[in-house]
């Protein structure tokens, strides 16, 4: 079946090439700047994979994470500031706690890979994610004077719902990337575009909703994206396997864990993972201190809820442009070269925050609102360009059979880096005595953060030189995970003295034995 799939994919690529020669639709978002190009690109993905998969990506990434995540972010910021009345450093610590479900993503991925429910591997977990999210949002919305610990529990449960849906759709993306390796960048572009467009809409409405119905009302509204996630679990196309032997679950857990460990031990795998963690952990997150300053009536520009929402929404256009720029111009560039420039610009872009805090923009004649839009747009654009090649690299490292588990492991490494960044940022705010009303040392926190953002450049040697089409490794232990007739997972490896030429460039997509 794998060979048939590859033949089918090859014939499809030939058909696409023929269409390009006669002036037909090309693969890509803005190729030829044809007005129908995005529609043709979307239709091509639906045809090559399945419409339910594409809609699932749009719902999970676009509506649940993009729209819901942006709306929930602004709502939570005001919930912590105005309802719970906590300090910026405390808000940072609580944000790290609610991020814990993303750290344990391998557990969700392992469940989706080795524990089918009622004959399905993916669909029931979408349903579970939707139910958890709906209940947690209703609890936050309707409970009066909720204690901070109970609020954190509900927020963490909601985060778990998003994480379970995310790891399940990531498993679908990784699985389709293995079947159609040439479409891996396009699938990641679909994820990024859906997330960016959803965030754009969500941020545009977030300030209005927070102003009209308050933070708790926003939580009630966030139950709708979880309902859509639940519906995806009902319509997703997936093979039905009623004969699963549940008594073998423990054995499959051990086999999957062994496969993950064998894959992770490969030098060509753990080195990029280490870079990804350092890249995120060293980019300290001090957003809550910055947010409290932006909304302060004395020290800051005193932005309203609507202004905060509009600044973030216009800024999210930068994320959308970053996804389009990567898909259209940068997806074939070498990983190391692309990450060097994006990490460098990521550090330099932080200087805009310093200019804003010191109010130098007013001396230049630039109003606060306009400068905040520029600042957020640059941050989102560079951040998206920095993130995209890491996503492509991660999806191509996943062995077939445990796609969800291993991709979740890679993403949990990134999320652990983000949590480290959040907690270290909160510690920095606490040490510098940045509080709800004191911002004298906020400029110093921003300066320290900017310096640390460029430190990952010293670790770029950990990243492969190749692009998404060719990893550029001269030596690669190719790990393949296959399932035999009794659902037993076996790990195979190709030794260094195999018949593969040492100068041959290999794709990171694992070789699959049929």
């Amino acid at each position: 079946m794998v060979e048939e799939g590859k033949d089918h994919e090859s014939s499809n690529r030939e058909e696409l090439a023929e269409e390009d020669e006669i002036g037909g639709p090309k693969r890509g978002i803005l190729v030829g700047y044809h007005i129908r190009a995005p529609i043709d690109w979307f239709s091509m993905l639906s045809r090559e994979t399945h419409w339910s998969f594409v809609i699932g990506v749009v719902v999970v990434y676009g509506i649940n994470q993009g729209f819901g995540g942006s709306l929930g972010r602004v709502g939570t910021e005001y919930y912590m500031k105005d309802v719970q009345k906590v300090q910026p450093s405390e808000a940072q610590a609580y944000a790290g706690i609610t991020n814990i479900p993303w750290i344990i993503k391998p557990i969700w991925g392992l469940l989706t890979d080795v524990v089918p429910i009622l004959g399905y591997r993916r669909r029931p977990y979408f349903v579970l994610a939707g139910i958890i999210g709906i209940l947690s949002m209703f609890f936050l919305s309707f409970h009066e004077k909720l204690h901070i610990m109970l609020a954190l529990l509900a927020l963490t449960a909601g985060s778990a719902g998003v994480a379970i849906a995310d790891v399940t759709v990531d498993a679908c993306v990784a699985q389709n990337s293995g079947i159609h390796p040439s479409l891996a960048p396009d699938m990641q572009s679909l994820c990024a575009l859906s997330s960016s467009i959803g965030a754009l809409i969500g941020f545009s409405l977030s300030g209005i909703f927070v102003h009209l119905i308050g933070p708790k009302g926003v939580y009630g509204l966030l139950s709708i994206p979880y309902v859509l996630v639940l519906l995806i679990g009902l319509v997703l196309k997936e093979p039905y396997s009623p004969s699963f032997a549940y008594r073998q679950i423990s054995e499959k857990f051990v086999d999957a864990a062994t496969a993950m460990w064998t894959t992770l031990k490969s030098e060509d795998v753990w080195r990029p993972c280490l870079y990804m963690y350092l890249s995120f952990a060293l980019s300290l997150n001090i957003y809550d201190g910055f947010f409290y300053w932006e909304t302060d009536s004395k020290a800051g520009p005193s932005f309203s809820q609507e202004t905060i929402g509009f600044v973030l929404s216009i800024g999210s256009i930068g994320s959308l442009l970053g996804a389009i720029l990567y898909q259209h111009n940068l997806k074939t560039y070498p990983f190391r070269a692309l990450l060097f420039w994006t990490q460098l610009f990521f550090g330099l872009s932080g200087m805009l925050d310093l200019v804003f805090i010191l109010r130098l923009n007013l001396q230049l004649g630039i109003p606060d609102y306009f400068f905040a839009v520029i600042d957020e747009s640059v941050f989102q654009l560079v951040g998206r360009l920095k993130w995209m090649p890491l996503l492509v690299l991660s999806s191509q490292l996943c062995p077939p059979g445990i796609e969800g588990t291993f991709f979740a492991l890679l993403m949990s490494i990134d999320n652990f880096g983000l949590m480290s960044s959040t907690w270290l940022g909160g510690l920095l705010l606490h040490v510098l005595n940045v509080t709800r009303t004191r911002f004298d040392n906020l400029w110093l926190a921003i300066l320290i953060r900017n310096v640390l953002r460029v430190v990952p450049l010293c670790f770029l040697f950990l990243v492969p030189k190749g692009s998404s089409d060719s990893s550029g490794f001269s030596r690669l232990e190719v790990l393949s995970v296959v399932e035999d007739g009794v659902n037993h997972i076996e790990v195979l490896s190709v030794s260094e003295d195999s018949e593969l030429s040492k100068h041959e460039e290999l794709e990171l997509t694992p070789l699959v034995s049929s």
Side-chain angles (χ1 to χ4, degrees):
M1 292 181 64
V2 174
E3 293 178 354
E4 293 177 359
K6 290 182 178 179
D7 293 338
H8 177 68
E9 179 190 350
S10 176
S11 63
N12 287 332
R13 286 200 300 264
E14 293 175 358
E15 293 173 2
L16 289 171
E18 292 175 359
E19 289 178 349
D20 291 347
E21 292 176 358
I22 63 176
K26 301 179 181 181
R27 205 184 79 205
I29 300 178
L30 296 175
V31 177
Y33 299 99
H34 195 279
I35 192 172
R36 283 187 54 84
I39 300 176
D40 294 334
W41 178 72
F42 194 84
S43 300
M44 180 273 296
L45 287 177
S46 300
R47 183 173 61 253
E48 294 294 324
T49 56
H50 190 264
W51 67 266
S52 62
F53 163 73
V54 176
I55 296 299
V57 170
V58 172
V59 167
V60 174
Y61 274 103
I63 300 178
N64 195 36
Q65 291 190 40
F67 177 82
S70 57
L71 191 60
R73 172 183 167 182
V74 177
T76 301
E77 293 290 347
Y78 279 101
Y79 181 77
M80 290 295 177
K81 179 176 180 288
D82 298 335
V83 178
Q84 296 293 342
K85 300 185 184 301
V86 300
Q87 298 292 345
S89 57
E90 294 177 316
Q92 295 266 172
Y94 296 150
I97 293 174
T98 59
N99 195 46
I100 289 178
W102 294 84
I103 307 301
I104 59 174
K105 280 181 67 177
I107 296 178
W108 317 129
L110 197 59
L111 290 172
T112 64
D113 280 330
V114 304
V115 186
I117 300 175
L118 301 178
Y120 295 102
R121 295 173 65 192
R122 317 295 186 197
R123 295 175 62 178
Y125 292 96
F126 282 122
V127 174
L128 176 63
I131 293 175
I132 292 175
I134 293 171
L135 294 178
S136 61
M137 292 301 104
F138 280 170
F139 183 72
L140 283 167
S141 179
F142 295 114
H143 199 289
E144 294 291 337
K145 298 180 180 180
L146 194 61
H147 190 273
I148 184 63
M149 291 297 105
L150 293 177
L152 279 178
L153 180 62
L155 288 171
T156 304
S159 179
V162 181
I164 294 172
D166 175 82
V167 76
T168 307
V169 80
D170 282 345
C172 299
V173 171
Q175 185 175 1
N176 279 290
S177 296
I179 299 173
H180 308 284
S182 64
L183 295 179
D186 295 88
M187 294 182 198
Q188 294 298 337
S189 295
L190 175 65
C191 297
L193 288 169
S194 301
S195 177
S196 299
I197 294 174
L200 173 62
I201 299 174
F203 280 131
S204 299
L205 300 176
S206 60
I208 298 175
F209 282 130
V210 170
H211 177 73
L212 293 178
I213 60 180
K216 294 198 297 182
V218 167
Y219 288 135
L221 188 64
L222 287 176
S223 62
I224 298 177
Y226 289 104
V227 172
L228 297 179
V229 170
L230 189 152
L231 293 178
I232 288 298
L234 302 178
V235 302
L236 181 70
K237 181 182 179 182
E238 183 183 6
Y240 177 65
S241 303
S243 59
F244 178 77
Y246 284 93
R247 63 181 179 275
Q248 297 179 351
I249 288 179
S250 60
E251 181 182 355
K252 291 175 69 66
F253 263 89
V254 173
D255 291 335
T258 302
M260 290 171 58
W261 175 245
T262 305
T263 306
L264 196 59
K265 284 193 304 182
S266 172
E267 183 179 355
D268 297 321
V269 176
W270 69 259
R271 287 164 61 95
C273 292
L274 178 59
Y275 173 81
M276 287 189 286
Y277 171 77
L278 293 173
S279 175
F280 288 108
L282 293 175
S283 302
L284 300 189
N285 177 10
I286 55 173
Y287 177 77
D288 281 287
F290 194 74
F291 169 77
Y292 278 51
W293 174 81
E294 283 185 318
T295 56
D296 189 79
S297 59
K298 297 180 180 179
S302 188
F303 287 158
S304 64
Q305 292 101 328
E306 294 90 341
T307 302
I308 291 291
F310 282 126
V311 167
L312 293 173
S313 66
I314 299 175
S316 65
I317 296 178
S319 178
L320 177 61
L321 292 178
I324 295 175
L325 182 61
Y326 174 81
Q327 167 68 18
H328 186 51
N329 298 105
L330 302 176
K331 68 179 181 180
T332 59
Y333 276 64
F335 286 119
R336 190 179 298 178
L338 185 56
L339 288 174
F340 172 83
W341 290 109
T342 54
Q343 190 70 44
L344 179 61
F345 284 127
F346 190 61
L348 295 176
S349 66
M351 299 304 294
L352 293 176
D353 289 340
L354 191 60
V355 171
F356 197 15
I357 287 292
L358 298 177
R359 311 311 295 272
L360 298 179
N361 60 295
L362 297 179
Q363 298 181 21
L364 298 174
I366 305 176
D368 288 333
Y369 176 81
F370 186 69
F371 192 84
V373 168
I374 297 175
D375 186 5
E376 185 67 22
S377 299
V378 172
F379 169 76
Q380 294 284 352
L381 182 133
V382 178
R384 178 63 68 179
L385 290 178
K386 173 177 173 287
W387 179 234
M388 289 295 295
L390 295 178
L391 282 176
V392 175
L393 176 60
S394 297
S395 67
Q396 293 183 339
L397 288 172
C398 298
I402 55 168
E403 301 94 347
T405 306
F406 199 76
F407 193 86
L409 174 63
L410 298 178
M411 293 300 100
S412 69
I413 293 173
D414 297 342
N415 287 305
F416 185 63
L418 290 172
M419 188 178 73
S420 302
S421 168
T422 300
W423 280 351
L424 290 173
L427 179 62
L428 180 63
L429 292 175
H430 178 74
V431 170
L432 296 179
N433 197 27
V434 177
T435 66
R436 293 171 54 90
T437 56
R438 296 188 61 180
F439 307 97
D440 297 338
N441 293 327
L442 184 57
W443 70 271
L444 182 57
I446 293 175
L447 184 61
I448 294 174
R449 180 205 63 184
N450 295 344
V451 173
L452 290 176
R453 276 184 177 181
V454 298
V455 173
L457 294 176
C458 301
F459 301 97
L460 272 175
F461 65 91
L462 298 171
V463 179
K465 295 180 180 179
S467 66
S468 60
D469 296 325
S470 174
S471 67
F473 292 139
S474 59
R475 294 170 59 250
L476 177 64
E477 182 184 33
V478 183
L479 301 172
S480 181
V481 182
V482 296
E483 294 187 52
D484 61 19
V486 294
N487 294 324
H488 180 72
I489 298 178
E490 179 183 358
V491 181
L492 306 175
S493 65
V494 180
S495 61
E496 297 178 12
D497 55 352
S498 64
E499 297 179 357
L500 293 174
S501 170
K502 66 179 181 178
H503 298 294
E504 183 179 2
E505 292 185 350
L506 299 177
E507 284 194 4
L508 284 173
T509 306
L511 304 180
V512 184
S513 300
S514 61

